[in-house]
PDB file of all heavy atoms in Angstrom:
ATOM      1  N   THR A 239     -39.353  -5.128  93.799  1.00  0.00           N
ATOM      2  CA  THR A 239     -39.248  -3.777  93.301  1.00  0.00           C
ATOM      3  C   THR A 239     -40.056  -3.595  91.974  1.00  0.00           C
ATOM      4  O   THR A 239     -40.598  -4.551  91.384  1.00  0.00           O
ATOM      5  CB  THR A 239     -37.754  -3.406  92.902  1.00  0.00           C
ATOM      6  OG1 THR A 239     -37.402  -4.165  91.737  1.00  0.00           O
ATOM      7  CG2 THR A 239     -36.766  -3.571  93.976  1.00  0.00           C
ATOM      8  N   GLU A 240     -40.079  -2.442  91.518  1.00  0.00           N
ATOM      9  CA  GLU A 240     -41.040  -2.098  90.317  1.00  0.00           C
ATOM     10  C   GLU A 240     -40.430  -2.803  88.970  1.00  0.00           C
ATOM     11  O   GLU A 240     -41.091  -2.859  88.042  1.00  0.00           O
ATOM     12  CB  GLU A 240     -41.264  -0.543  90.107  1.00  0.00           C
ATOM     13  CG  GLU A 240     -42.096  -0.043  91.280  1.00  0.00           C
ATOM     14  CD  GLU A 240     -42.400   1.442  90.997  1.00  0.00           C
ATOM     15  OE1 GLU A 240     -43.270   1.816  90.130  1.00  0.00           O
ATOM     16  OE2 GLU A 240     -41.834   2.276  91.649  1.00  0.00           O
ATOM     17  N   SER A 241     -39.072  -2.855  89.005  1.00  0.00           N
ATOM     18  CA  SER A 241     -38.285  -3.351  87.786  1.00  0.00           C
ATOM     19  C   SER A 241     -38.133  -4.788  87.864  1.00  0.00           C
ATOM     20  O   SER A 241     -37.571  -5.437  86.979  1.00  0.00           O
ATOM     21  CB  SER A 241     -37.048  -2.585  87.611  1.00  0.00           C
ATOM     22  OG  SER A 241     -36.227  -2.942  88.693  1.00  0.00           O
ATOM     23  N   ALA A 242     -38.496  -5.513  88.968  1.00  0.00           N
ATOM     24  CA  ALA A 242     -38.356  -7.003  89.087  1.00  0.00           C
ATOM     25  C   ALA A 242     -39.358  -7.657  88.191  1.00  0.00           C
ATOM     26  O   ALA A 242     -40.394  -7.074  87.771  1.00  0.00           O
ATOM     27  CB  ALA A 242     -38.473  -7.408  90.436  1.00  0.00           C
ATOM     28  N   PHE A 243     -39.135  -8.911  87.901  1.00  0.00           N
ATOM     29  CA  PHE A 243     -40.047  -9.607  86.893  1.00  0.00           C
ATOM     30  C   PHE A 243     -40.724 -10.806  87.655  1.00  0.00           C
ATOM     31  O   PHE A 243     -40.341 -11.162  88.826  1.00  0.00           O
ATOM     32  CB  PHE A 243     -39.158 -10.169  85.863  1.00  0.00           C
ATOM     33  CG  PHE A 243     -38.605  -9.138  84.841  1.00  0.00           C
ATOM     34  CD1 PHE A 243     -37.444  -8.621  85.176  1.00  0.00           C
ATOM     35  CD2 PHE A 243     -39.475  -8.787  83.678  1.00  0.00           C
ATOM     36  CE1 PHE A 243     -36.959  -7.541  84.309  1.00  0.00           C
ATOM     37  CE2 PHE A 243     -39.037  -7.879  82.870  1.00  0.00           C
ATOM     38  CZ  PHE A 243     -37.796  -7.268  83.077  1.00  0.00           C
ATOM     39  N   PHE A 244     -41.712 -11.348  87.064  1.00  0.00           N
ATOM     40  CA  PHE A 244     -42.587 -12.351  87.641  1.00  0.00           C
ATOM     41  C   PHE A 244     -43.022 -12.032  89.001  1.00  0.00           C
ATOM     42  O   PHE A 244     -43.544 -10.899  89.238  1.00  0.00           O
ATOM     43  CB  PHE A 244     -41.901 -13.666  87.575  1.00  0.00           C
ATOM     44  CG  PHE A 244     -41.268 -14.060  86.163  1.00  0.00           C
ATOM     45  CD1 PHE A 244     -39.899 -14.155  85.933  1.00  0.00           C
ATOM     46  CD2 PHE A 244     -42.203 -14.221  85.103  1.00  0.00           C
ATOM     47  CE1 PHE A 244     -39.424 -14.510  84.637  1.00  0.00           C
ATOM     48  CE2 PHE A 244     -41.709 -14.514  83.823  1.00  0.00           C
ATOM     49  CZ  PHE A 244     -40.441 -14.602  83.640  1.00  0.00           C
ATOM     50  N   ASN A 245     -43.140 -12.917  89.847  1.00  0.00           N
ATOM     51  CA  ASN A 245     -43.759 -12.767  91.238  1.00  0.00           C
ATOM     52  C   ASN A 245     -42.996 -11.794  92.107  1.00  0.00           C
ATOM     53  O   ASN A 245     -43.400 -11.385  93.149  1.00  0.00           O
ATOM     54  CB  ASN A 245     -43.911 -14.057  91.929  1.00  0.00           C
ATOM     55  CG  ASN A 245     -45.004 -14.860  91.311  1.00  0.00           C
ATOM     56  OD1 ASN A 245     -45.693 -14.437  90.235  1.00  0.00           O
ATOM     57  ND2 ASN A 245     -45.342 -16.000  91.835  1.00  0.00           N
ATOM     58  N   LYS A 246     -41.731 -11.463  91.747  1.00  0.00           N
ATOM     59  CA  LYS A 246     -40.994 -10.513  92.536  1.00  0.00           C
ATOM     60  C   LYS A 246     -41.280  -8.914  92.194  1.00  0.00           C
ATOM     61  O   LYS A 246     -40.799  -8.080  92.894  1.00  0.00           O
ATOM     62  CB  LYS A 246     -39.482 -10.636  92.424  1.00  0.00           C
ATOM     63  CG  LYS A 246     -38.977 -12.097  92.867  1.00  0.00           C
ATOM     64  CD  LYS A 246     -39.213 -12.163  94.357  1.00  0.00           C
ATOM     65  CE  LYS A 246     -38.650 -13.614  94.753  1.00  0.00           C
ATOM     66  NZ  LYS A 246     -38.789 -13.809  96.200  1.00  0.00           N
TER      67      LYS A 246
END
Side-chain angles (χ1 to χ4, degrees):
T239 69
E240 295 183 74
S241 61
F243 291 85
F244 303 119
N245 288 6
K246 298 297 184 181

